[in-house]
Structures are given as C-alpha cells and as structure tokens.
Amino acid sequence: MSTPFTADAVEAIKRHMNDDHAGDSLIIVRALGGRPDATSAVTSDVDAEAIEFTVDGAERVRVPWGETLTERAQVRKAVVRLYQDACAKLGLPPRGEH
C-alpha cells in the first residue's frame, strides 16, 4: 500500500502504539479485525488506508481507517475513532483521554 508517511513517522507511530496503547490495539483487533479470541496485537504497519497488527505473534490483520489519510496528524484521530468504535461494538466503556 502507498503511504504519505515517512519511514521514521511509521516507526514512531508503531512505537507509540506498542508502548502506550497495546491494550487499545487488542480491543481494535478483537472488534474490528475479526479476531474476537486474539490474545495479543502488535502494531506492525501504518499506511494511508489502514493500520496493520501482528496478532498472536503470527497473523497479520489490517483494519481500515474508513478514509484515506493524507498526513500524519490524522493518525491519532483515526486510531481514537477505531478504538471508540471497537469499544462500542464490544460493549466496553472507552477510557477517557488518549
């Protein structure tokens, strides 16, 4: 997939997601990635169309943003939206600030 993000930006996004939002990633994968029994989700890639996770150490799962992103600043809002949608689908209360 094409990406408007530099390699450094993708690495920074992955690092932030994996260091600070691993639980959120798992919720997204379970609800929106079609893997309700997943036990781990590591952000493995980000591009204009989707965020990708390595699930349970092996399988790659892409979750579409729902729109094409054109700049890095959009990623945070897109991830928060996915997280909130995933919480709603699973009947979980979303935590406060991201």
Side-chain angles (χ1 to χ4, degrees), residues 6 8 15 19 24 56 59 72 77 96:
T6 65
D8 287 344
R15 185 173 41 257
D19 290 350
D24 299 349
D56 295 337
E59 182 182 10
R72 181 178 176 176
K77 289 181 181 180

Side-chain angles (χ1 to χ4, degrees), residues 36-56:
D37 298 324
T39 60
S40 70
V42 175
T43 302
S44 54
D45 201 8
V46 176
D47 61 40
E49 303 300 327
I51 186 168
E52 183 178 278
F53 303 95
T54 300
V55 178
D56 295 337

Side-chain angles (χ1 to χ4, degrees), residues 1-54:
M1 288 282 131
S2 68
T3 184
F5 314 123
T6 65
D8 287 344
V10 170
E11 288 303 313
I13 293 165
K14 289 169 31 179
R15 185 173 41 257
H16 176 72
M17 287 298 296
N18 293 326
D19 290 350
D20 298 341
H21 299 287
D24 299 349
S25 296
L26 185 57
I27 288 170
I28 292 167
V29 164
R30 286 178 174 168
L32 306 177
R35 303 304 185 275
D37 298 324
T39 60
S40 70
V42 175
T43 302
S44 54
D45 201 8
V46 176
D47 61 40
E49 303 300 327
I51 186 168
E52 183 178 278
F53 303 95
T54 300

